Amino acid sequence: MTPFSYARPERIEEALALAGPDSRYIAGGTNLLDLMKENVLQPRQLIDINRLPLRAIEETPEGGLMIGALVSNADLAWNRQIEQRYPLLAKAILAGASPQLRNMASTGGNLLQRTRCYYFYDTGTPCNKREPGSGCPARDGLNRIHAILGASEACVAVHPSDMCVALAALEAQVHVQGPQGKRRIAMADFHRLPGDQPELDNNLSEGELITAVELPAEGFAQHSAYLKLRDRASYAFALISVAAALELDGTTIKAARLALGGVAHKPWRVEAAEQALCGKPAEDASFAIAADLLLDGAQPLQHNAFKPELARRAIIRALGEAARGTVR
C-alpha cells in the first residue's frame, strides 16, 4: 500500500490551506479510490471535505438554484425542485452509475470524474493522460468507446459523466474557491479538450475547490429529454448520450439546447446546431439538420465508426421526445 496522510477540515479555508500538488480533495471517493487502487493516482495526502458546509440546495436571487458541492447525486436527482424545474438533470443523474454509487457520489466530484479509457487505467501501457509524452495506444488499439469529436493526436479519451451533459445543456455555472479567492466558471469552459495537454481534464487551478453548481432560472421543464445509449441497461457508461431541451411556441421552436456525451473529452455543444433549430417546426427534418451540424467534423476511429450515425439518430430521437413533452 502506498502511504498517505489524511485530514478532515471543518472550514473551507482550512481545506484550502492544506491543499498542494500532491494532495487530493475527497468526498464520496467513488472515482478517486478506484484510481488509487489501480495506482493511476498516488496522492500523498487526502483532504476529506465531508465536514464542510456544502450540502444545501438554495434558490438564487435570479430565480435559479445553488447546489452545494457535497449534495449527493441521489439527493439531487430526487430533490423536488430538481424534479419539477430541471427534470433533464434528474433524468441524467438517474441514468448514471448505480443506486449505491449515487448515494455516495457528490455533485462536485461528478464534475471531476476521470475518463474510463482502458489504457488510462492500465498502468502497464503508455497513456498521455497518465504520463505526458508516453503515447496514446487507443488511437490504433481498442477504441470502440472513444472520441469522435474534439480529439487530438495525443488523446482520444471521452468524459464519462451523465450529469455533466445535462449541466452543459442547462448552461450551469461552477463556483470554485482557491488560494486566489472565489470565481465562477461557465460549464462550457470548465472541461477541456485534450489538445497537447490531455493530462488536464479541466480548467481548475491548483488547490481550487468546487463549492457549488448554479443552475439558471430556465430549466426547460416542459420540453426536455435525456437519452443514453449503452451496452447494457444499467451501470454502464454511455456510448452516446444526448441532453435535449426546447422552448416551443405551439409547434415552432423558440429556443433549443443540445449537448452530447460519449463523443468527446468534454460534453459537446455547438451553438450553430442550436441556432439552426430556432424558428423551425419541431419535426424530424429540423432535428436532422441540427444533428448534422452538431456532428460536423466527426472523425471516427477503427472500432467506433458506428458512432456518428448512432449519435445522429439519438439526437433526432431525443429532440422528438423533448418536443412531445417532458414526462415526470
Side-chain angles (χ1 to χ4, degrees):
M1 177 177 174
T2 302
F4 58 87
S5 63
Y6 176 80
R8 297 189 73 180
E10 298 189 2
R11 297 187 304 114
I12 292 175
E13 291 74 16
E14 292 178 42
L16 298 179
L18 290 167
D22 293 322
S23 66
R24 290 290 186 278
Y25 297 119
I26 184 169
T30 56
N31 187 204
L32 178 57
L33 292 178
D34 284 343
L35 294 168
M36 292 174 65
K37 291 175 184 177
E38 297 292 336
N39 291 317
V40 176
L41 287 180
Q42 296 180 326
R44 295 185 178 180
Q45 180 184 45
L46 292 184
I47 304 169
D48 186 337
I49 61 172
N50 283 295
R51 292 183 177 178
L52 303 186
L54 301 174
R55 297 186 183 276
I57 300 177
E58 301 172 324
E59 291 200 39
T60 66
E62 296 76 21
L65 285 183
M66 190 74 73
I67 303 161
L70 291 177
V71 174
S72 74
N73 285 183
D75 286 346
L76 184 58
W78 294 114
N79 178 273
R80 172 167 286 190
Q81 291 205 74
I82 296 296
E83 286 186 294
Q84 293 181 349
R85 297 175 55 189
Y86 307 93
L88 175 61
L89 178 57
K91 289 181 179 180
I93 293 171
L94 293 173
S98 66
Q100 296 90 337
L101 288 171
R102 290 194 295 268
N103 285 337
M104 290 298 296
S106 66
T107 297
N110 197 303
L111 271 66
L112 299 176
Q113 287 185 79
R114 307 300 304 271
T115 183
R116 264 48 181 199
C117 173
Y118 325 119
Y119 301 100
F120 175 68
Y121 271 86
D122 183 357
T123 57
T125 66
C127 173
N128 286 324
K129 287 185 72 65
R130 205 178 56 246
E131 297 179 33
S134 63
C136 178
R139 289 202 65 88
D140 299 312
L142 297 175
N143 46 42
R144 181 173 179 271
I145 66 171
H146 289 75
I148 58 172
L149 290 161
S152 70
E153 287 299 316
C155 182
V156 293
V158 299
H159 184 69
S161 170
D162 290 288
M163 186 186 83
C164 288
V165 180
L167 291 177
L170 291 169
E171 295 190 340
Q173 298 271 328
V174 183
H175 289 245
V176 304
Q177 187 170 341
Q180 305 305 315
K182 299 178 182 180
R183 65 183 179 122
R184 63 173 66 189
I185 308 171
M187 193 65 194
D189 300 323
F190 184 81
H191 296 103
R192 296 167 50 96
L193 292 179
D196 59 1
Q197 289 184 295
E199 71 276 14
L200 301 178
D201 290 337
N202 56 62
N203 287 308
L204 288 176
S205 299
E206 184 178 303
E208 281 191 316
L209 173 69
I210 297 172
T211 57
V213 172
E214 181 179 352
L215 297 176
E218 176 57 74
F220 297 91
Q222 301 305 313
H223 294 282
S224 63
Y226 187 76
L227 177 62
K228 180 177 182 177
L229 305 180
R230 47 191 163 177
D231 286 326
R232 57 180 183 270
S234 66
Y235 195 35
F237 296 100
L239 289 170
I240 300 290
S241 62
V242 187
L246 299 172
E247 181 185 349
L248 299 181
D249 181 5
T251 59
T252 301
I253 301 169
K254 290 182 61 179
R257 303 273 181 77
L258 271 174
L260 286 182
V263 298
H265 203 252
K266 61 183 288 185
W268 189 258
R269 285 184 66 196
V270 174
E271 185 178 353
E274 298 170 356
Q275 290 299 319
L277 288 166
C278 295
K280 300 297 192 299
E283 58 187 31
D284 283 359
S286 304
F287 304 156
I289 292 171
D292 290 340
L293 288 170
L294 192 57
L295 293 167
D296 185 45
Q299 295 182 316
L301 302 166
Q302 180 181 1
H303 302 295
N304 66 7
F306 65 90
K307 274 195 172 187
E309 181 59 23
L310 183 65
R312 186 177 188 274
R313 296 185 185 194
I315 294 164
I316 295 170
R317 177 179 160 187
L319 285 167
E321 291 179 2
R324 287 189 289 274
T326 300
V327 178
R328 297 184 183 85

